[in-house]
Amino acid sequence: MLRLGGSLASRAACDPPAAAPTAPTVPHLREYDHARAALDQALEQGARGTGGSLLITGPAGTGRTALLDDAAAAARQRGFTALHARCSYADRDAPLELLRRLARSACQAGDQRRWLPIARQAAAMLVGLPAEDALRTAALRGLYDVLGRLAMPEAAGPLLVAVDDVHWADEDSLRWLVGLAERCKDVPVTVVLSFCPGAEAHGTDLLAELTLTQTREVPLRELGRPSVAAVLEHHLGAGPDEEFTDACLAATRGNPHLVTALAARLAQLGHGCDARAATALPDIVVDSVARSVGGRLRRLSPYALDVVRAVVVLTSPATPARIAELTGLGRPVVTQVAERLVRLGVLAAGPSGVTMRHPVLTTAVRAALAPSEAEALHGRTARLLHQSGAAPDAVARHLVHALPSGEPWALDALRAGAADRLAAGDPGTACGYLRRALAEPLAPEPRSALLLELAEAATRTDLAEAATSLDEAIRLSPDAGRTVCRTPGLLDLVLLGAPPDQAERTALVLVGPHLRDADPALALRLSHCGVRGPLPPLPGSPAVGGNTGSGGAFAQALAALTRLHRQAGNATAFADAQQAARSEFPSTPAHVMAHLWAADVMIHTGQPESAGTLLEAALIRTRRGRHQPLEALTRSLRSLLLLATEGPAAALEDARAAAATLHACAAAPSGPLATLVRARLVHLLTLTGRHEEAAAELERAGVPEALPGGLAGATHLFARGELKAALGYTEDGARDLLECGRRMREFGIADTLLPWRSSAARALLSVGRDGQARELALEQAQWARTQHAPGVLGLALSVAAWTAGGAAPDVMAEAVELLRAHGAPHDQARALTDQGALLHRTGRTGAARTALREAVQLAQDIGTTGVLEHAAAELTAAGGRMPRSRRKGVDSLTATERKVATLAATGHTNREISKFLFVQLRTVEIHLTNTYRKLGIESRHQLRHVLPGAT
């Protein structure tokens, strides 16, 4: 039996006075308003001489202790004598421990002269309490009478008896509380108790009797979103985003203690509170919770922690039978403990079993597991699931956390689980399963095959890992190289994402030193992936991967792209592209690549609608499969399409998103894919006048030791040359553009893809090298007439006109008409600017103003800043005024603006539109703002009245 050392009087004299209550350190939480109101009402009644009792109930962490502390502080301020004690789990078996604490509280009350005699007498009786049952019962009655004098009217003044965690009170003290609660209505005594349903308790009959005597029960609620946001703002010092608040609410289920602990931990880590930061929440371990969770659960039952660990490891709803198998406990014990944990709010019960209720508590329990314990638990769980016939993914989910066993079933489950995760669009988890499978003891051939599976999965998220796995697989087995060469898409993606020197080494290992003598179809693939050497002859038939399914489409699209690059007949290239894209929806990565190559051909052969359809399908597929490199390539191609149809401003977001996505999947900055995507972004930034951002993009990638071969390296030189010329480094820019042309001739790439001659000629004109400029422009014009490329011809003539002497106006007029019919909007605007400037210089001011006004209007519509500034300056010099937009109403909307407006008019939210069109939310807002301005309206509700067919 635990006894108090010394008399209560002497202890009271030594104890310091109770500290004054401090102001709350958290913001007002409205979920506690009803409890505060009930406490205020009870204290008000007690102050008027009418007692009463309250029972505050709630699971652990809902703030019961804080409320009782507040109640005691408020009671003292109202003139009450507050006897306040908290029951302890450790002392729940100590007889009369609660009464000892209340007696000590009486000794610490403000008027010691009134309470000291009673406290001293109670202390003496507690020390000398006999152990024999008969004598003990009589002594207890005497003690209850003495302590009951605390609640007598003659004690002068109201009394508050506040007992926290009453479920842990000893039985003798509970009997006194029952008696006090029964007669508190007749005296100025207010009894406030807190109780946790589901907690292990002694004297359950007395607790039941005690709860029956309470005049009012006050259940505590969990916090809602506004209160969670208030707690986060208090700790983090900034208002959280809605998505971040929702993530914290989901992690804690609004449990006040967990919300506060999580907020404090986030503040300690310096964590952000925006939507992006929300994705990191599931991995954050709240140290204070992790340290205390074991001890708190053991208070419930010696087996509670084992049950909770089993539920955490099982992840899916856990049945009592499965928990019993995993822990070795009896099923009745598991059932009883699980029911208590459900009542406590730790577990949530469902039709299929129990789950953890609070994700943040799940993370804490997992973090508190020792590595050896976690490995053993997951290993047993995997074996149990395998023996019960569970899906491979469910088994593999545990095997990744278990030690290798060397058993065939484990390897099979990991490989099958990886295939399931890939099909479900979760390549990250699939790669994790395959990495774990490689930890099993394997012979070289099976290990090589497994490495190829890992390489294929990693091409979706980590091109560096894909390249490393592929090289290792080829090193282990010669058959792996043959498999790679026969697999459409795998080799191509690895080489596109690798640095040029690594790509060359891989190609040499696969094919040998004589690439020209390789299979023509394979040689085409290598050449398109930037492996050095001109494009080999076209194969007689699409033999890559066979003629059916994605392999046939892959080969057909590759042939179409090759014809486009060589300008070997656009009609044939388009026909091949149509054949490659005959499937309605791309089903595999190789099929997606086929669609992308076909779309590339269609963009350059004047079929924007067909290209757009293919790109939308490819984007859906890559998003669904989380194939980041192909998503980046898709968005980069869509930026080309938008540049050709709507102008550079509309294309810029896709180009930025492509570069960001590619960076996230570890593509080598000097590799063909990253080089091509970055070059397209730099080109668009240059066209829109964002020269500093364009230069920063190039600087971020660094200076490559060697540019990749093929189109990627040439596009880099083209974009860099145009940027240098725009920044005033014209000579350097011209050199880059001329080098671009040399590379294109080396690799056999047609001028249709990159009109380097006209860009170089324009740069040379600006530094007075007219003769060389004229030569380049006429070369391009002659080539374009031969190849029937009117858009390229228009660009060449718009430059050649400046050196055409008296024929200049006619040559420029022909250029403008060609570009009106076949050129991209920004090329049209630049040609109109050139025409206006030329006419002004030849004294035809009226015609010059007309051309320049049209150039200004078009440049405004498409967002070509550099052309706009040039055209505006020339128009001012010609004595003209800046025009208003030439298009009005619905006709003034770009295709993207009209698409966004139509979706908004039919009831879609901005967030839904952004997801549907794969653009940022801010982009949707900008498009709608522009639409409202152009249509002269103020809100989306007016859209359906002004847009035809928007119902």
Side-chain angles (χ1 to χ4, degrees), residues 135 155 266 320 384 406-407 414 424 457 626 628 661 670 673 764 873 927 947:
L135 296 175
L266 293 173
L384 286 171
E407 297 181 73
L414 288 164
R626 296 186 187 177
Q628 291 179 316
T661 302
S670 61
L673 186 55
L764 292 169
H927 283 315
L947 284 179

Side-chain angles (χ1 to χ4, degrees), residues 569-593:
N570 282 355
T572 306
F574 178 63
D576 285 344
Q578 280 187 312
Q579 181 68 13
R582 63 187 181 274
S583 172
E584 292 184 0
F585 195 79
S587 56
T588 65
H591 211 162
V592 172
M593 290 187 73

